[in-house]
Amino acid sequence: MSHPRKKPFLVLDTELSPPHAESKHKIKLADLKQIIPLTHNQETFFHLYRKGNPAILVHGVAGSGKTYLALYNAFHEILQSNINYQKVVIVRSAVASRDIGHLPGNEKEKTEVYVRPYRDICADLFPRFGERSFNKLKEQNLVEFMVTSFIRGLTLDNAIVIVDECQNMSDMELNTIMTRIGQNSKIIFCGDFRQTDLTRKYDASGFQKFMNIIGHMPTFRQVEFGVCDIQRSYIVKEYIMARMEVEDMAITG
């Protein structure tokens, strides 16, 4: 039985500028796809973000659009008016899904593998510039990527900070990020504690503890994305549902 391929989000039909001579032009708000949420939880996140909440946790299953929607809203705000915030800062831990040893090269070359997902998202959000989108945004000082290994000692002022794959961060990494937030900044955490790649006892994920801590913070808002929010593909949705069912059976049986 085949299933039609679904678009991950509803994209409004807008006239995007032709891709000619894009290297001479700066990225503007008109170049950003117009996205509207497809589910109730996605709509809740849009509402919380655009209401001006300075701290949001987006937690939920794979394929539900956590990072995509966070970046879309952040770029929309920056490009609409960069008076309030100067740039989007993406923070991620340098943790692979499987140990492949030490990566060769300098700091930039080592972290490039972790930048790739955000290059792909930017290419999709800014179709006029395609694969050049991320670099164009960097040239305009609108986006910055950093791994948690190099964040200690910094103060992130006037920025929209998106902390991705939080389940792959230790308690101390999450603590360090939270204490880096400076004046006039907002922060969005994206993750799913079920997807952690930290399996060693001495390098445990601190995400669940972090979720408990922010539950005591009046400033934080939380959005839970479930199976109904999965838009990546039908087979991902079917797999997540089957996996949850098997895991529930193991717990109860």
Side-chain angles (χ1 to χ4, degrees), residues 32-50:
L32 178 65
K33 278 185 180 179
Q34 292 189 47
I35 307 294
I36 63 174
L38 285 179
T39 70
H40 172 73
N41 292 323
Q42 290 180 2
E43 189 173 351
T44 298
F45 170 62
F46 270 58
H47 173 72
L48 289 174
Y49 185 95
R50 296 186 176 182

Side-chain angles (χ1 to χ4, degrees), residues 68-79:
Y68 188 98
L69 295 179
L71 281 171
Y72 169 75
N73 278 282
F75 285 131
H76 187 278
E77 184 169 18
I78 289 284
L79 292 168

Side-chain angles (χ1 to χ4, degrees), residues 58-112:
V58 188
H59 178 266
V61 297
S64 52
K66 302 180 294 294
T67 308
Y68 188 98
L69 295 179
L71 281 171
Y72 169 75
N73 278 282
F75 285 131
H76 187 278
E77 184 169 18
I78 289 284
L79 292 168
Q80 189 174 43
S81 172
N82 63 357
I83 297 175
N84 294 329
Y85 305 101
Q86 295 175 355
K87 61 183 174 180
V88 178
V89 178
I90 304 169
V91 181
R92 179 173 173 163
S93 184
V95 175
S97 61
R98 189 175 180 86
D99 189 2
I100 57 174
H102 295 289
L103 295 172
N106 56 31
E107 176 188 332
K108 182 179 179 181
E109 292 167 336
K110 289 176 185 291
T111 58
E112 178 58 31

Side-chain angles (χ1 to χ4, degrees), residues 196-235:
T196 182
D197 296 312
L198 298 177
T199 56
R200 300 172 182 175
K201 291 183 179 179
Y202 59 82
D203 196 23
S205 172
F207 191 35
Q208 286 184 279
K209 178 181 177 181
F210 177 75
M211 292 174 68
N212 289 331
I213 291 171
I214 65 174
H216 294 271
M217 296 175 61
T219 300
F220 252 97
R221 297 291 181 266
Q222 299 187 37
V223 184
E224 182 72 27
F225 281 10
V227 172
C228 62
D229 301 297
I230 297 174
Q231 303 296 327
R232 181 167 293 154
S233 70
Y234 183 85
I235 197 162

